[in-house]
Amino acid sequence: MDTTAVRHYLHQHPELSDQEFHTTAYLQKQLEQLGYRIVTPAALHTGVIAEIGPTTGPTIGLRSDIDALPITEHTGLAYASENPGVMHACGHDFHMASLLGAAATLAEQADQLPGTVRVIFQPAEETHVGAQEVVDAGGIEGLDAIIGFHEKPDLGVATVGLREGGLMAAVDQFKVTLTGIGTHAAMPQLGRDPIVGLAATVSALQTIVSRNVDPQQTAVLSVTHIEGGATWNVIPPAAWFEGTVRTFSHATRQTVKDHFYAVVKAQAAAFGLEATIDWLEGPDVVDNDPVLTKIVRAESEKFLTVVSPTPSNAGEDFAYFSHRVPSVFAFFGTHGTSDWHHDDLRLDDAALPSASQWYVRIALRLLTYFAKEVPHGQETH
Ligand code: NI
């Protein structure tokens, strides 16, 4: 399969999260032509899940996300987006092309597979709801393990980044509204000023990472958006801010949340304000199974450069899989021109063959492992 042509086609036709109808139809057609059984649950409106191999033996899931971003492309590429304002700026076109290429290779040896390979083309990663949609629809039931990767522009071609444990951060999102009493700017004593209270609260929140989190752990708390007031001489009745927290362990995640609530409530009380906190829990840490990661590393080292990547503070909804099924999530080098979510991100097609090969070899290796080598008592179901 010409994975470069596949990627260019997909890059040209990007679609937003949960609206990947054209992409879904394209992928499904390709998989049907390769002889795959389409097993997409009816509850899944976009995305494709398909299987190959005998229905006995272990089942290994290979995952690619399929959605694009609301970004206007500025790459100048001949195959740039034809969908205005939408761009594959996170390389999910690369993921899809790699997995489709792997699917083609696996189809050629379908008769000899010691188990089933399930390819999961998942919708809506960027909005962090797609993996959960797949889980809710029953798309990962019966899997012995699930494998995925995110392309990494700062790693070279034929380079894979692997690490046991946390690879990508847990994501929390918050919005805080502080309500006081509006008044004339010249008579603050007659009101309760939410602006001054908000400024103090935002500053105080920055002490959570520096004073409450274990210095050996990592955490980020960023306030990214503030609104309040409409003019220069009126103190408004309310103001709000929002932002995000990124952590790598359950304990740290809980510590930050607890102190966040304490700081906001105490600050609000000090300024006589009412605080409303909206806390949105995003994906958990992408947590790589130590035993499987070791196996994946040993296999990868046979044909790729393997590096130990720095964990990324970005989130990845693969976490919804990795907390239900033993999994390995990797970073795969694409020798790109900038980073994720940039409008000028260009990737090197030379990275495609090794990415496809990685999916194939890891799938075969893990099928053999679960069919013949998994120690008694450690089966997952
Ligand atoms: Ni992405």
Side-chain angles (χ1 to χ4, degrees), residues 215-280:
Q216 302 298 335
Q217 299 289 321
T218 57
V220 182
L221 190 163
S222 291
V223 174
T224 55
H225 182 189
I226 290 175
E227 280 192 32
T231 187
W232 68 283
N233 57 358
V234 179
I235 291 171
W240 62 268
F241 63 92
E242 63 180 344
T244 185
V245 172
R246 306 294 165 104
T247 50
F248 278 91
S249 77
H250 293 291
T252 308
R253 193 179 196 183
Q254 195 59 47
T255 298
V256 173
K257 186 179 178 182
D258 290 347
H259 284 278
F260 185 96
Y261 272 74
V263 166
V264 169
K265 292 216 162 120
Q267 290 289 332
F271 288 92
L273 304 167
E274 189 103 5
T276 315
I277 303 172
D278 294 311
W279 192 273
L280 255 168

Side-chain angles (χ1 to χ4, degrees), residues 151-171:
E151 61 82 20
K152 198 78 167 58
D154 60 349
L155 294 180
V157 169
T159 303
V160 67
L162 285 168
R163 69 180 292 132
E164 287 84 4
L167 182 70
M168 296 185 77
V171 179

